[in-house]
Amino acid sequence: MSSFTLLEKLSNAFGPSGSEGEIRQIIRKELEGMVDFSYDRLGSVICRRKAGATASPRIMLAAHMDELGFIVQAITKEGFIKLFNLGSWWPHTLLSQRVVIRTAKGDVMGIIGAKPSHFLSPEERKKVMDLKDLFVDVGAQDQKEAVEELGIKRGDFVVPQTEFRPLRNARLVSGKAFDDRAGVGLMIDTIRRLGDDLFEALGRVK
């Protein structure tokens, strides 16, 4: 897999804080047979590749797997989804964005909305909108349909639905979660590109 394809796969993966399982699977698949895997109680995946000598220096490559996201905080009687943020968001950047809610029944797509602009008072128009004023419209007629048919419940994880794609400048791409999926990709790519000869040489350094 090329570095570009790896970044695309990592960027598109679902992995807000507390739900990084897809990223762990990608790391394990890409480095299977190259490293020894272990995990801690926080869900971190630790990949160890040993050099030839016990006295060798140790090099650590670190990156975080999670991305900014949300959890479902409440479901209104009208069937709208209220969010609680996982990470720092500026709400004005969220309006009209597509999001994915991961439920036990599968992924549900929605659109972030707010009170229509023509209903806002002059004072409201001057203020930065708060997250509590936003909601996700999943197309449900009411709370019952959102819960029973779509399977949405409080605590479900939510991330932006942003497709990875190259820009007109071939050196640049657009996507989500580059902080820090780019770091995860670099870590994987470095381990894959560093051959056994280099690791043996590191093992001989005094």
Side-chain angles (χ1 to χ4, degrees):
M1 181 184 294
S2 69
S3 300
F4 184 90
T5 303
L6 175 61
L7 180 59
E8 178 179 11
K9 190 173 183 180
L10 288 166
S11 175
N12 287 337
F14 187 101
S17 303
S19 182
E20 301 94 340
E22 280 191 17
I23 313 305
R24 283 193 292 271
Q25 291 175 9
I26 293 172
I27 294 171
R28 188 169 187 97
K29 181 178 180 181
E30 292 301 316
L31 297 180
E32 192 73 51
M34 300 181 191
V35 300
D36 295 326
F37 293 101
S38 61
Y39 306 89
D40 64 19
R41 292 184 180 182
L42 293 176
S44 304
V45 55
I46 302 163
C47 311
R48 287 188 174 90
R49 184 166 182 175
K50 297 180 180 178
T54 57
S56 61
R58 296 181 180 182
I59 300 172
M60 182 179 74
L61 303 176
H64 65 83
M65 299 181 289
D66 62 328
E67 63 182 292
L68 293 177
F70 309 91
I71 58 172
V72 174
Q73 185 178 49
I75 305 166
T76 71
K77 63 181 181 180
E78 297 85 6
F80 296 131
I81 312 304
K82 304 296 285 186
L83 301 174
F84 182 82
N85 57 296
L86 297 175
S88 178
W89 290 97
W90 194 46
H92 277 199
T93 67
L94 298 175
L95 284 171
S96 300
Q97 280 204 36
R98 292 183 299 169
V99 295
V100 172
I101 304 171
R102 180 145 295 181
T103 78
K105 289 187 174 183
D107 289 349
V108 176
M109 196 196 82
I111 305 292
I112 295 180
K115 184 178 179 180
S117 60
H118 50 277
F119 288 151
L120 295 176
S121 68
E123 287 303 314
E124 287 176 318
R125 291 171 182 266
K126 298 176 184 178
K127 296 179 180 178
V128 175
M129 193 163 287
D130 195 278
L131 183 61
K132 66 181 176 60
D133 298 320
L134 307 182
F135 57 81
V136 179
D137 187 345
V138 294
Q141 295 184 4
D142 51 31
Q143 185 184 73
K144 182 178 179 180
E145 183 177 352
V147 174
E148 296 182 4
E149 295 189 27
L150 300 182
I152 301 171
K153 66 180 187 300
R154 285 185 294 176
D156 282 342
F157 289 98
V158 185
V159 298
Q161 175 63 41
T162 305
E163 183 182 353
F164 180 96
R165 61 178 60 195
L167 300 179
R168 189 68 177 266
N169 183 334
R171 298 188 303 107
L172 301 176
V173 293
S174 173
K176 69 172 179 66
F178 290 154
D179 178 10
D180 191 26
R181 303 287 167 73
V184 174
L186 284 170
M187 179 196 71
I188 293 172
D189 219 22
T190 299
I191 293 174
R192 292 191 309 192
R193 290 170 181 265
L194 292 179
D196 292 333
D197 290 344
L198 179 53
F199 276 88
E200 289 298 324
L202 286 173
R204 293 192 294 271
V205 174
K206 299 298 184 179

